[in-house]
Amino acid sequence: MQDEKRKPPELGVLSPWAWLVSLVLGLNLAVVVWLWLRDGGITKAHTSADIFTSGGRITGLLAAYSALLQVVLIARIPWVERLTGFDRLTVWHSRNGKACILLLLAHVVLITVGYAETDKVGIGPEISSLLNGYPHIVAATIGTGIMLLVVVSSLVIVRRRLRHEAWYAVHLSVYAGIVLGYLHEVPTGNEFTTGGAPQIYWYALNAATLAALVAFRVLRPLVRAAIHDLRVDRVVTEGPGVTSVYLSGRRLHRLGAHAGQFFVWRFLDRKRVWQAHPFSLSAAPDGRQLRITVKASGDFSRRIADLRPGTRVVAEGPLGTFTTARRRAPSGKVLLVGGGIGITPIRALMETMAGDIVIVHRVVQAGDAGLENELRDLATARGLPLHVLVGDHRDGAAADLLTPDHLRTLVPDVAERDVYLCGPPAMAEAVGRNLRRAGVPRRCLHTERFAL
Ligand SMILES: Cc1cc2nc3c(=O)[nH]c(=O)nc-3n(C[C@H](O)[C@H](O)[C@H](O)COP(=O)(O)OP(=O)(O)OC[C@H]3O[C@@H](n4cnc5c(N)ncnc54)[C@H](O)[C@@H]3O)c2cc1C
């Protein structure tokens, strides 16, 4: 049992830190716009050349700010994560990334056109003069190219064709893109060339972003790995292609993990040290050990069974807000739905959630998630109704499973319950839609998709 005195802080509650983070982000945006206004904004623009140039300046400033925001959104800052939840952060990261590249392209076009009009030359000669006559514009152009490549590689249609590792490698190059862009900001930005407070502010903003990235993405996991000495304790085969990894370490209660959350795990052996993968806890953390259960679906997960006891582990997290703190339904009742291996966080929640709880496990074939016996035992021990629904949705016979009507038949008061739904993206989306049609209010539907 968790040591009550060391109970981790409740999730889903906006802490003063979370308010502070929102305030800091909002204030910085206001300062960025103010820098542009202070430099004349649109008021000093009398000719079309001025209007283009002024538009180019504000889009440039906003692009640079949104690039920094991109870094903050994936820096895994715990207060930012608790403010919104990891899944929403990922959505914001993706939207902000697209906004950033649009602002960047607008900046390039508007500045080029504005300068060309001012210099009374064509676009071609102006591009050449920008590249040759201004500091670090070549670097900034390469940076823009890299960022464009990152956004293109993240478009659904392209990402589907790329291996995750290839996509991730391209994605990592965004840091190089940001640095290359940063090089020209102070030497060429009208707002900063005069030095003084704006320049100091810009340096400080970039330094703070870098510090957050290094502190939370690099140092925190390393320090935690040293403090907790997290290691593989044992590896257990649960069924065909399904493996549980038990991890032990020191003072694990201080990780602050809750049932329903996940970590991004990096196993420090020769084969795996370069890859980090997200897996949910498949048992409620008890302060002494952690457990994940992995289904073989690709290169990494297929080889998880060869992990050797004693292997050191670096874990980023705990992440996610798929926890009991999200409960909103006035009835206090809950429906837990897991699709295939998506049962892992549900299994952990079953241990700790109190009240009237119904569980549904949807599998294509019996034994798909390997944890069936354990689920049955736990449900019996806690007196919780468990429905295991077996069948391939492509077969006519299974097509009715988890439709709105079926959901209402299975759990007549489904609309009064909080619903925790976890599974592969397609399943989570389809069942989520059906749950809404069955009357579950949006605020009571909590979804964890097994895809980032
Ligand atoms: C929040 C979350 C919790 C998860 N919990 C579990 C769990 O408890 N048990 C379980 O079996 N699976 C879980 N997954 C899925 C698991 O992370 C992927 O199946 C695994 O990373 C696949 O890696 P692979 O190399 O074996 O397969 P691949 O064939 O390389 O990938 C299969 C799919 O997994 C995704 N993926 C691959 N590598 C990564 C990565 N490093 N980070 C993010 N996504 C990746 C990609 O979308 C890819 O299309 C979870 C995923 C998420 C996002």
Side-chain angles (χ1 to χ4, degrees), residues 211-276:
L213 183 72
V214 174
F216 293 105
R217 288 293 305 252
V218 183
L219 296 180
R220 188 168 186 257
L222 288 178
V223 168
R224 284 183 147 210
I227 291 177
H228 299 293
D229 190 24
L230 204 56
R231 285 170 193 267
V232 173
D233 184 42
R234 62 206 156 93
V235 179
V236 175
T237 302
E238 304 282 3
V242 182
T243 306
S244 283
V245 181
Y246 289 78
L247 302 121
S248 59
R250 293 190 297 254
R251 287 175 274 182
L252 295 186
H253 53 271
R254 293 184 69 177
L255 284 170
H258 294 257
Q261 290 191 291
F262 67 97
F263 287 79
V264 179
W265 307 90
R266 188 183 295 276
F267 297 96
L268 305 186
D269 62 15
R270 265 197 298 149
K271 279 189 260 169
R272 283 164 267 246
V273 65
W274 300 112
Q275 293 187 47

Side-chain angles (χ1 to χ4, degrees), residues 275-333:
Q275 293 187 47
H277 288 252
F279 295 107
S280 299
L281 298 174
S282 62
D286 63 3
R288 290 187 307 274
Q289 67 173 10
L290 301 171
R291 186 184 78 169
I292 56 174
T293 302
V294 177
K295 176 147 178 109
S297 64
D299 289 354
F300 181 88
S301 46
R302 254 198 299 273
R303 293 202 305 259
I304 200 98
D306 358 308
L307 268 174
R308 300 186 98 102
T311 304
R312 294 189 87 121
V313 183
V314 175
E316 273 185 81
L319 298 165
T321 52
F322 194 68
T323 67
T324 191
R326 293 266 291 268
R327 285 170 77 164
R328 296 284 177 270
S331 70
K333 298 178 192 175

